[in-house]
Amino acid sequence: MNFIERTGARILAPTIQAAGFTVTVGLRTLGRLGHLGRRRRTVMDQMHLSGVKTLHVVLLVNFFIGMILALQLGYELAQYGQQQAIGFAVAIAMVREMAPMMTAVVLAASVASAMAAEIGTMRVQEEVTALEVMSVDLTSYLILPRVMALTIMAPLLTLLAAAVGILGGGMLADLQLGVDFSGYMLNAIDSLKDRWVWWLPVPKSLYAALIKSAVFGFTIAVVGCASGLQARHGARGVGDATRGAVRNSIILIIVLNFFLGKLIFAN
Amino acid sequence: MIKLHEVRKSFGAQKVLEGLSLEVPTGKCLVLMGPSGSGKSVILKHIIGLLRPDAGSVEVMGQEVPKLKRRELAKLRHDMGYLFQHAALINWLNVFDNVALPLRESRDMAEPEIRERVTKVLELVLLADQDHKMPEQLSGGMQKRVGLARALVTEPKVILYDEPEAGLDPEMSANISAMIRKLQLELGTTSIAVTHSLNCALVIGDQLALFEQGRILVSGKPAEVLASGHPRVKEFLGA
């Protein structure tokens, strides 16, 4: 092998191996869904850790995102005398894109990193090995509760994030751009009335947000747990695992966001 | 009961086991001694099925460990206990739940039966009154004893000890060694202990082996090994 081949093998082989391991962890987790009943207490604990404890950050970030959207869109729309449409634009942008993605980014930074650090520390301190030696099913005991908790909490957080973002946009539009708040809200609600299929009572944009955020939640937790399980070599290894978990989760969120958006809004 | 034959293992270019063979009869305890980093823990990891040998055979209770399927290995591990060097207690579980974990996860026992068994084992290691404490509230010696209780709670036929005295003061080290020997005689388990402490080895071992450079240099009853006159025994054990 020449220098380029050696370098490629050294970089690509571990990356492909790590990606394969992450996919395996995800598939194994899906295969353990039948264990949810006996893990319900741990799932509740994890929902509290991953959802309730990040709520304030999610709300704060999305409140400002809503205001930023309203500010930038408001200036542009005002040039054409269309500032009344701010509610429409902010609501669509928040529900379809910004709330699911920004919530996922916050969860990647706070929850994926925490999962990777916790499981990584357990790995380097031989706690994971101890579980293996005791014939404890690692996927069922460690991974499933964390993944399911985040898959449930991410859509709930996203709904709140979207609501707060729209509210933030409305407040800015009212105070800064002179748009009537009630008019803004009516406009925002109007924008979310499109149905996906006639028999579903919830707007398509909202379904899109829920589906996206559930997928993001699942992905973030799987990446966080898989990174932790692959941690080696003490504190430095845990640091590497944590950094990798955040980086890879954010990349996956953005890539998945594009494909899910394309799939859901294709027609 | 435990039989390794011509086991070879390398990590990259580093050869750790070079044709290692050993045998531990049922109910006996073999103590493995050797320099740090020589691969003693690697031997234990082969026996419990965490590592696979590059060549050779590892047999435990008549079963060829590397050839076992996942479920078969899990079943075999139910009959094995492992005391980790740093206890490796699950950090979010208290003492009682840590010890109860293997029983609860195997789902073979009802909760009242589990409580009874755990209490009994905690009494054996003199920690019955500490069952509510979290691992970080325990001293190193207490953590070791919890680890020992967890290794014993499934009533294993084989127990592997990875440096049971590591990180303990001489008094606690002597206590742990005496406790291991007492349990060994009471329960009749087959065991292998890796240690750097000659005192510990003399208390718990029926057999002693000096391991270096991937193979066993000398083995036998502790007194025989010490009297062997092997130059490395003199250098390493000061005997």
Side-chain angles (χ1 to χ4, degrees), chain B residues 89 94-101 103-104 114-133 138 141-154 179 182-183:
Chain B
L89 303 179
N94 66 21
V95 167
F96 189 95
D97 291 337
N98 255 293
V99 178
L101 182 64
L103 298 178
R104 286 182 176 146
I114 290 173
R115 299 198 81 80
E116 194 182 322
R117 175 87 72 91
V118 172
T119 307
K120 192 177 135 195
V121 179
L122 284 174
E123 278 168 4
L124 272 180
V125 297
L126 310 175
L127 283 172
D129 55 342
Q130 308 287 329
D131 62 352
H132 58 286
K133 287 194 173 169
L138 303 174
M142 288 162 102
Q143 287 189 12
K144 272 276 165 61
R145 282 188 278 158
V146 178
L148 184 58
R150 191 176 65 182
L152 292 170
V153 77
T154 53
M179 192 173 283
K182 183 171 165 260
L183 296 170

Side-chain angles (χ1 to χ4, degrees), chain B residues 29 35-36 50 78 98 106 116 165 172 203 208:
Chain B
C29 177
S36 296
L50 289 170
H78 280 303
N98 255 293
S106 72
E116 194 182 322
E165 85 301 334
M172 185 53 71
V203 172
L208 178 61

